[in-house]
Amino acid sequence: MSQDDSIKVTSDGSEIYHPSDEVVSRATIKDYDSLYKRSIEDREGFWAEEAEKLSWYEKWDKVLDDSEKPFYKWFTGGKINIIQNAIDRHQDGAIADKTAIIWEGEPGDKRRFTYRQVNEEVSKFANILKDKGVKKGDIVTIYMPQVPELAFAMLACAKIGAAHSVVYGGFSAEALSQRINDAKCRVLITADGGWRRGKIIDLKAISNDAMSRSPSVEVCITIKRTEHEVSMQEGRDYWYHELHTEASAECETEVTDAEDMLFILYTSGTTGRPKALLHTHGGYSLYTSVTHKYVFDIKDNDIWWCAADPGWITGHSYIVYSPLINGTTVIMYEGAPNFPNPGRWWQMIAEYKVTILYTSPTAIRGLMRFGDKWPEKHDISSLRLLGSVGEPINPEAWKWYHRVIGNETCPIMDTWWQTETGGFMITPLPITPLKPGSATKPFFGIEIAVVDDNGNEVAVGEEGKLVLKAPWPGMARTIYGDDERFREVYWKDYEKQGWYKTGDSARIDSDGYVWIIGRIDDVIKVSGYRLGTAEIESALVSHDAVSEAAAIGLPHELKGNAIHTFVILREGLEGSDKLAEELGQHVRSEIGPIARPESIEFVDSLPKTRSGKIMRRVLKARALGEDEGDLSTLEE
Ligand code: PRX
């Protein structure tokens, strides 16, 4: 049966794509409903059973400790290190010689590492860090292009019980410095640069600039990638390759507690200050590996490509950690999808016989724009499953992805989750009948609801706030250094019920399928990147010419959403194209190119509440020509 024969239209008009017999017969999990039921009825039993499949130094005393809600703890008393599971246990037997990482640089250079070689590289890096004084509990900032050493640096930190804070390579010096200062990092790992669309991004110059504002950095280790000249400061800066030749390839993995900090990762929220979500060794190892294994039905011979950046949670969870825990072969690619032409990804899929591709709707829409001829040039029939993450996928892009990339035979796993959740929360399995644009149903152990402000479930098909009703092992434990903000942002609205507020709105249809509508707080997803309106506004206001600013997200064909801004200038100043250009550049240098607004409009006033809060909702409705809703709190 071809997939086409199995498209059905339901009573509400949505199409359902049923998996082919072949997909079903290959699937490990053939019955979602009964396993889901079991996972909810005995949540702790379900997670304990899955946790048994990992390797522990010492077993836990308690699966879930909820005595200090919302600061849940999982597998307390257990001793585990994610490296023991991702690397150490793969050093015996045939898997040691299995390829762990296939890497391709944008210029076309290639490197491969077996699990044994990954162990050697990570051990060397770990010894280098130890030699530079990094200890258990320290936080190391990593600001790098997507080269294998980025993964090795993360893994090396974990191996010695230090935590990493990876800052996406697209962030500016100011943003990097802010994140270094927040975590008071002593050590920064960077590179001389990385390749992007044929150009070098000068990460070392940006790092130097950041370090000039971050006095806590005493050691900066630089990986040589692009070979262009960079400035090194004696006594602080070290070349990685020089340290590497001296380093031993043997290093004991630190025995960490299940609840020990594995990493922090900054993401945008509703204030101007980014927040660092904290994840731990035990629960995160378990949650990421189980979701990866079941959702993508991972087999020994899979070639897995998560085409994200390790600088985001998707890369942490599904490029670096979970595939290695599951002993999978991972593809890593440094550069742009359309370099030197829009066939780059398809060429790589053909060359490496990639079996699973996991990417974002923005990337799909971007490649779709170049037409079918690019994928058609390459034999991409090795693909058996596809995935999507980061923003709602529009049915048009879904169908193109399914038809042209998936040859109508690859189911698409549209996974909904967040930096805070660690791993997939609402997602299909390969056996799930799919509706284009719906993330389908909750993963095992996950209970969700769509509710109103009082916590009452809204009617079938109606939009409401998406909440998570019970804890899960992969959940962020707190916001680093700010427990109160963690409680306030995620748990306060539904404190009585003990639910986690996702910040997204959604609806659930009569088949129980979840349709994510988007963020309802002051967070904008631009090309899948998460940005806060307040961050953009405070970047604008930090410019001398600006008195007040407001930022909103408006739908954009390619990016999902784009940032539009409204600016009130200081007394006596007049708006001009030149000033708008300057302000755009300013936001870029304060945050990074991803935050540069699509438009900057000079205005005389902004709609505000009587207490002075900008009513972004009104700006948005006006821009879209929609009803402005309740204006009773509007000041003028
Ligand atoms: O709005 C949702 C959207 O991305 C947000 C989380 O962003 P971030 O923490 O950067 O993590 C992105 C990668 C997991 C969510 O609150 N989002 C994520 N996945 C989807 C999605 N929206 C719709 N469909 C998805 N599959």
Side-chain angles (χ1 to χ4, degrees), residues 267 312-314 388-393 414-420 426 439 502-504 516 518-519 525 528-530:
T267 189
W312 305 109
I313 191 68
T314 310
S388 173
V389 60
E391 27 167 348
I393 180 162
D414 178 359
T415 60
W416 177 89
W417 58 296
Q418 308 178 306
T419 306
E420 291 84 347
I426 303 175
T502 65
D504 278 19
I516 304 291
R519 298 292 307 193
K525 295 289 296 199
Y529 298 119
R530 179 164 159 182

mmCIF file of all heavy atoms in Angstrom, residues 267 312-314 388-393 414-420 426 439 502-504 516 518-519 525 528-530, ligand 1:
data_model
loop_
_atom_site.group_PDB
_atom_site.id
_atom_site.type_symbol
_atom_site.label_atom_id
_atom_site.label_comp_id
_atom_site.label_asym_id
_atom_site.label_seq_id
_atom_site.Cartn_x
_atom_site.Cartn_y
_atom_site.Cartn_z
ATOM 1 N N THR A 267 17.779 30.946 27.473
ATOM 2 C CA THR A 267 16.724 31.136 26.493
ATOM 3 C C THR A 267 15.969 32.406 26.844
ATOM 4 O O THR A 267 16.123 32.947 27.937
ATOM 5 C CB THR A 267 15.797 29.908 26.408
ATOM 6 O OG1 THR A 267 14.931 30.081 25.284
ATOM 7 C CG2 THR A 267 14.949 29.747 27.646
ATOM 8 N N TRP A 312 21.437 25.301 20.707
ATOM 9 C CA TRP A 312 20.059 25.331 21.200
ATOM 10 C C TRP A 312 19.735 23.996 21.843
ATOM 11 O O TRP A 312 20.443 23.013 21.656
ATOM 12 C CB TRP A 312 19.071 25.572 20.048
ATOM 13 C CG TRP A 312 19.397 26.802 19.271
ATOM 14 C CD1 TRP A 312 19.895 26.846 18.007
ATOM 15 C CD2 TRP A 312 19.267 28.162 19.706
ATOM 16 N NE1 TRP A 312 20.071 28.160 17.624
ATOM 17 C CE2 TRP A 312 19.699 28.981 18.644
ATOM 18 C CE3 TRP A 312 18.811 28.766 20.888
ATOM 19 C CZ2 TRP A 312 19.698 30.375 18.731
ATOM 20 C CZ3 TRP A 312 18.815 30.148 20.968
ATOM 21 C CH2 TRP A 312 19.253 30.938 19.896
ATOM 22 N N ILE A 313 18.615 23.950 22.535
ATOM 23 C CA ILE A 313 18.263 22.708 23.244
ATOM 24 C C ILE A 313 18.133 21.531 22.268
ATOM 25 O O ILE A 313 18.500 20.406 22.592
ATOM 26 C CB ILE A 313 16.974 22.887 24.091
ATOM 27 C CG1 ILE A 313 16.760 21.689 25.033
ATOM 28 C CG2 ILE A 313 15.755 23.068 23.212
ATOM 29 C CD1 ILE A 313 17.753 21.556 26.142
ATOM 30 N N THR A 314 17.632 21.779 21.064
ATOM 31 C CA THR A 314 17.464 20.678 20.104
ATOM 32 C C THR A 314 18.808 20.001 19.840
ATOM 33 O O THR A 314 18.903 18.780 19.792
ATOM 34 C CB THR A 314 16.872 21.196 18.777
ATOM 35 O OG1 THR A 314 15.731 21.986 19.087
ATOM 36 C CG2 THR A 314 16.462 20.066 17.869
ATOM 37 N N SER A 388 10.141 17.342 12.609
ATOM 38 C CA SER A 388 9.990 18.793 12.568
ATOM 39 C C SER A 388 9.931 19.316 14.005
ATOM 40 O O SER A 388 9.363 18.668 14.880
ATOM 41 C CB SER A 388 8.701 19.131 11.815
ATOM 42 O OG SER A 388 8.436 20.518 11.891
ATOM 43 N N VAL A 389 10.490 20.492 14.230
ATOM 44 C CA VAL A 389 10.509 21.065 15.580
ATOM 45 C C VAL A 389 10.705 22.570 15.563
ATOM 46 O O VAL A 389 11.298 23.111 14.639
ATOM 47 C CB VAL A 389 11.646 20.453 16.430
ATOM 48 C CG1 VAL A 389 13.010 20.706 15.822
ATOM 49 C CG2 VAL A 389 11.630 20.987 17.858
ATOM 50 N N GLY A 390 10.210 23.225 16.583
ATOM 51 C CA GLY A 390 10.585 24.623 16.823
ATOM 52 C C GLY A 390 9.457 25.607 16.634
ATOM 53 O O GLY A 390 9.466 26.687 17.193
ATOM 54 N N GLU A 391 8.491 25.278 15.813
ATOM 55 C CA GLU A 391 7.377 26.183 15.512
ATOM 56 C C GLU A 391 6.303 25.333 14.841
ATOM 57 O O GLU A 391 6.600 24.234 14.374
ATOM 58 C CB GLU A 391 7.817 27.323 14.580
ATOM 59 C CG GLU A 391 8.959 26.897 13.744
ATOM 60 C CD GLU A 391 9.351 27.758 12.573
ATOM 61 O OE1 GLU A 391 8.615 28.664 12.172
ATOM 62 O OE2 GLU A 391 10.396 27.460 12.024
ATOM 63 N N PRO A 392 5.095 25.869 14.776
ATOM 64 C CA PRO A 392 4.061 25.085 14.092
ATOM 65 C C PRO A 392 4.437 24.930 12.617
ATOM 66 O O PRO A 392 4.955 25.859 12.010
ATOM 67 C CB PRO A 392 2.816 25.961 14.235
ATOM 68 C CG PRO A 392 3.096 26.892 15.376
ATOM 69 C CD PRO A 392 4.573 27.116 15.354
ATOM 70 N N ILE A 393 4.216 23.748 12.080
ATOM 71 C CA ILE A 393 4.502 23.567 10.653
ATOM 72 C C ILE A 393 3.197 23.749 9.877
ATOM 73 O O ILE A 393 2.173 23.145 10.197
ATOM 74 C CB ILE A 393 5.192 22.212 10.355
ATOM 75 C CG1 ILE A 393 5.468 22.071 8.850
ATOM 76 C CG2 ILE A 393 4.452 21.005 10.904
ATOM 77 C CD1 ILE A 393 6.488 21.012 8.494
ATOM 78 N N ASP A 414 6.211 15.469 14.089
ATOM 79 C CA ASP A 414 6.157 16.893 14.460
ATOM 80 C C ASP A 414 6.194 16.956 15.981
ATOM 81 O O ASP A 414 5.203 16.687 16.648
ATOM 82 C CB ASP A 414 4.871 17.502 13.897
ATOM 83 C CG ASP A 414 4.693 18.963 14.278
ATOM 84 O OD1 ASP A 414 5.555 19.514 14.996
ATOM 85 O OD2 ASP A 414 3.689 19.560 13.855
ATOM 86 N N THR A 415 7.368 17.279 16.513
ATOM 87 C CA THR A 415 7.590 17.183 17.955
ATOM 88 C C THR A 415 7.450 18.547 18.619
ATOM 89 O O THR A 415 8.172 19.477 18.293
ATOM 90 C CB THR A 415 9.017 16.667 18.227
ATOM 91 O OG1 THR A 415 9.948 17.590 17.637
ATOM 92 C CG2 THR A 415 9.232 15.296 17.611
ATOM 93 N N TRP A 416 6.545 18.657 19.560
ATOM 94 C CA TRP A 416 6.415 19.903 20.334
ATOM 95 C C TRP A 416 7.154 19.753 21.654
ATOM 96 O O TRP A 416 6.924 18.786 22.392
ATOM 97 C CB TRP A 416 4.940 20.227 20.612
ATOM 98 C CG TRP A 416 4.825 21.467 21.459
ATOM 99 C CD1 TRP A 416 4.749 22.748 21.006
ATOM 100 C CD2 TRP A 416 4.846 21.539 22.896
ATOM 101 N NE1 TRP A 416 4.737 23.623 22.078
ATOM 102 C CE2 TRP A 416 4.795 22.908 23.240
ATOM 103 C CE3 TRP A 416 4.929 20.589 23.917
ATOM 104 C CZ2 TRP A 416 4.796 23.356 24.563
ATOM 105 C CZ3 TRP A 416 4.941 21.031 25.241
ATOM 106 C CH2 TRP A 416 4.863 22.404 25.554
ATOM 107 N N TRP A 417 8.002 20.691 21.950
ATOM 108 C CA TRP A 417 8.700 20.727 23.252
ATOM 109 C C TRP A 417 9.384 22.058 23.423
ATOM 110 O O TRP A 417 9.181 22.958 22.607
ATOM 111 C CB TRP A 417 9.646 19.538 23.402
ATOM 112 C CG TRP A 417 10.730 19.389 22.360
ATOM 113 C CD1 TRP A 417 10.561 19.145 21.022
ATOM 114 C CD2 TRP A 417 12.138 19.476 22.556
ATOM 115 N NE1 TRP A 417 11.782 19.063 20.398
ATOM 116 C CE2 TRP A 417 12.771 19.260 21.319
ATOM 117 C CE3 TRP A 417 12.953 19.693 23.686
ATOM 118 C CZ2 TRP A 417 14.158 19.271 21.164
ATOM 119 C CZ3 TRP A 417 14.327 19.689 23.529
ATOM 120 C CH2 TRP A 417 14.916 19.484 22.284
ATOM 121 N N GLN A 418 10.166 22.193 24.491
ATOM 122 C CA GLN A 418 10.784 23.478 24.831
ATOM 123 C C GLN A 418 12.137 23.263 25.504
ATOM 124 O O GLN A 418 12.397 22.169 26.016
ATOM 125 C CB GLN A 418 9.917 24.229 25.862
ATOM 126 C CG GLN A 418 8.475 24.383 25.497
ATOM 127 C CD GLN A 418 7.675 25.085 26.576
ATOM 128 O OE1 GLN A 418 7.690 24.678 27.737
ATOM 129 N NE2 GLN A 418 6.968 26.144 26.205
ATOM 130 N N THR A 419 12.923 24.337 25.555
ATOM 131 C CA THR A 419 14.197 24.286 26.295
ATOM 132 C C THR A 419 13.934 23.753 27.707
ATOM 133 O O THR A 419 14.711 22.977 28.250
ATOM 134 C CB THR A 419 14.792 25.718 26.392
ATOM 135 O OG1 THR A 419 14.875 26.256 25.075
ATOM 136 C CG2 THR A 419 16.169 25.700 27.018
ATOM 137 N N GLU A 420 12.813 24.160 28.272
ATOM 138 C CA GLU A 420 12.477 23.795 29.640
ATOM 139 C C GLU A 420 12.145 22.305 29.791
ATOM 140 O O GLU A 420 12.285 21.751 30.878
ATOM 141 C CB GLU A 420 11.242 24.592 30.109
ATOM 142 C CG GLU A 420 11.468 26.079 30.303
ATOM 143 C CD GLU A 420 11.342 26.894 29.001
ATOM 144 O OE1 GLU A 420 11.329 26.295 27.908
ATOM 145 O OE2 GLU A 420 11.253 28.128 29.106
ATOM 146 N N ILE A 426 4.890 16.504 23.121
ATOM 147 C CA ILE A 426 3.718 16.130 22.324
ATOM 148 C C ILE A 426 4.275 15.746 20.970
ATOM 149 O O ILE A 426 4.987 16.541 20.336
ATOM 150 C CB ILE A 426 2.729 17.299 22.204
ATOM 151 C CG1 ILE A 426 2.311 17.776 23.597
ATOM 152 C CG2 ILE A 426 1.499 16.892 21.381
ATOM 153 C CD1 ILE A 426 1.415 19.005 23.594
ATOM 154 N N ALA A 439 0.819 18.260 16.222
ATOM 155 C CA ALA A 439 1.884 17.499 16.897
ATOM 156 C C ALA A 439 1.312 16.210 17.515
ATOM 157 O O ALA A 439 2.017 15.482 18.207
ATOM 158 C CB ALA A 439 2.567 18.360 17.945
ATOM 159 N N THR A 502 2.995 26.427 29.881
ATOM 160 C CA THR A 502 3.957 26.342 28.772
ATOM 161 C C THR A 502 4.193 27.686 28.089
ATOM 162 O O THR A 502 5.218 27.872 27.455
ATOM 163 C CB THR A 502 3.457 25.368 27.687
ATOM 164 O OG1 THR A 502 2.254 25.913 27.103
ATOM 165 C CG2 THR A 502 3.181 23.987 28.253
ATOM 166 N N GLY A 503 3.204 28.593 28.170
ATOM 167 C CA GLY A 503 3.321 29.856 27.430
ATOM 168 C C GLY A 503 2.781 29.742 26.014
ATOM 169 O O GLY A 503 2.785 30.711 25.268
ATOM 170 N N ASP A 504 2.319 28.544 25.642
ATOM 171 C CA ASP A 504 1.747 28.341 24.307
ATOM 172 C C ASP A 504 0.231 28.229 24.391
ATOM 173 O O ASP A 504 -0.310 27.794 25.405
ATOM 174 C CB ASP A 504 2.251 27.022 23.691
ATOM 175 C CG ASP A 504 3.631 27.175 23.058
ATOM 176 O OD1 ASP A 504 4.337 28.142 23.384
ATOM 177 O OD2 ASP A 504 3.991 26.311 22.246
ATOM 178 N N ILE A 516 -0.903 23.067 18.077
ATOM 179 C CA ILE A 516 -0.232 24.180 18.757
ATOM 180 C C ILE A 516 -0.476 25.436 17.927
ATOM 181 O O ILE A 516 -0.237 25.446 16.718
ATOM 182 C CB ILE A 516 1.295 23.939 18.852
ATOM 183 C CG1 ILE A 516 1.599 22.603 19.543
ATOM 184 C CG2 ILE A 516 2.001 25.118 19.525
ATOM 185 C CD1 ILE A 516 1.284 22.548 21.007
ATOM 186 N N GLY A 518 0.608 28.757 19.089
ATOM 187 C CA GLY A 518 1.811 29.596 19.195
ATOM 188 C C GLY A 518 1.939 30.210 20.566
ATOM 189 O O GLY A 518 1.136 29.942 21.466
ATOM 190 N N ARG A 519 2.934 31.045 20.741
ATOM 191 C CA ARG A 519 3.214 31.649 22.035
ATOM 192 C C ARG A 519 2.120 32.670 22.367
ATOM 193 O O ARG A 519 1.661 33.399 21.495
ATOM 194 C CB ARG A 519 4.560 32.386 21.999
ATOM 195 C CG ARG A 519 5.748 31.521 21.722
ATOM 196 C CD ARG A 519 6.103 30.540 22.787
ATOM 197 N NE ARG A 519 6.263 31.104 24.100
ATOM 198 C CZ ARG A 519 6.836 30.424 25.126
ATOM 199 N NH1 ARG A 519 7.284 29.191 24.962
ATOM 200 N NH2 ARG A 519 6.936 30.971 26.314
ATOM 201 N N LYS A 525 8.744 33.510 18.143
ATOM 202 C CA LYS A 525 9.575 32.501 17.491
ATOM 203 C C LYS A 525 9.875 32.989 16.076
ATOM 204 O O LYS A 525 9.005 32.999 15.212
ATOM 205 C CB LYS A 525 8.843 31.164 17.436
ATOM 206 C CG LYS A 525 8.562 30.523 18.769
ATOM 207 C CD LYS A 525 9.758 29.970 19.503
ATOM 208 C CE LYS A 525 10.471 28.854 18.844
ATOM 209 N NZ LYS A 525 11.326 28.011 19.598
ATOM 210 N N GLY A 528 12.116 29.858 14.120
ATOM 211 C CA GLY A 528 12.324 28.843 15.147
ATOM 212 C C GLY A 528 13.174 29.342 16.303
ATOM 213 O O GLY A 528 13.246 28.702 17.342
ATOM 214 N N TYR A 529 13.849 30.483 16.157
ATOM 215 C CA TYR A 529 14.634 31.034 17.262
ATOM 216 C C TYR A 529 13.703 31.720 18.233
ATOM 217 O O TYR A 529 12.742 32.367 17.841
ATOM 218 C CB TYR A 529 15.644 32.076 16.772
ATOM 219 C CG TYR A 529 16.679 31.551 15.830
ATOM 220 C CD1 TYR A 529 16.792 32.052 14.534
ATOM 221 C CD2 TYR A 529 17.568 30.556 16.226
ATOM 222 C CE1 TYR A 529 17.756 31.567 13.659
ATOM 223 C CE2 TYR A 529 18.525 30.070 15.361
ATOM 224 C CZ TYR A 529 18.617 30.581 14.075
ATOM 225 O OH TYR A 529 19.569 30.110 13.215
ATOM 226 N N ARG A 530 14.049 31.606 19.500
ATOM 227 C CA ARG A 530 13.177 32.151 20.526
ATOM 228 C C ARG A 530 13.716 33.500 20.995
ATOM 229 O O ARG A 530 14.846 33.586 21.460
ATOM 230 C CB ARG A 530 13.162 31.138 21.660
ATOM 231 C CG ARG A 530 12.343 31.494 22.830
ATOM 232 C CD ARG A 530 12.127 30.225 23.635
ATOM 233 N NE ARG A 530 11.786 30.525 24.982
ATOM 234 C CZ ARG A 530 11.583 29.593 25.915
ATOM 235 N NH1 ARG A 530 11.735 28.324 25.627
ATOM 236 N NH2 ARG A 530 11.259 29.930 27.125
HETATM 237 O O1 PRX B 1 6.059 27.824 20.976
HETATM 238 C C1 PRX B 1 6.563 26.522 21.031
HETATM 239 C C2 PRX B 1 7.540 26.325 19.906
HETATM 240 O O2 PRX B 1 8.821 26.603 20.449
HETATM 241 C C3 PRX B 1 8.704 26.960 21.820
HETATM 242 C C4 PRX B 1 9.914 26.486 22.563
HETATM 243 O O3 PRX B 1 11.044 27.109 22.043
HETATM 244 P P1 PRX B 1 12.486 26.625 22.456
HETATM 245 O O4 PRX B 1 12.589 26.576 23.930
HETATM 246 O O5 PRX B 1 13.452 27.481 21.718
HETATM 247 O O6 PRX B 1 12.600 25.157 21.945
HETATM 248 C C5 PRX B 1 12.551 24.882 20.591
HETATM 249 C C6 PRX B 1 12.945 23.462 20.348
HETATM 250 C C7 PRX B 1 12.267 22.468 21.175
HETATM 251 C C8 PRX B 1 7.424 26.332 22.249
HETATM 252 O O7 PRX B 1 6.920 26.938 23.412
HETATM 253 N N1 PRX B 1 7.534 24.955 19.369
HETATM 254 C C9 PRX B 1 8.475 24.007 19.552
HETATM 255 N N2 PRX B 1 8.164 22.894 18.858
HETATM 256 C C10 PRX B 1 6.996 23.136 18.228
HETATM 257 C C11 PRX B 1 6.589 24.443 18.566
HETATM 258 N N3 PRX B 1 5.429 24.957 18.108
HETATM 259 C C12 PRX B 1 4.660 24.189 17.327
HETATM 260 N N4 PRX B 1 4.990 22.935 16.951
HETATM 261 C C13 PRX B 1 6.137 22.366 17.369
HETATM 262 N N5 PRX B 1 6.460 21.135 16.985
#
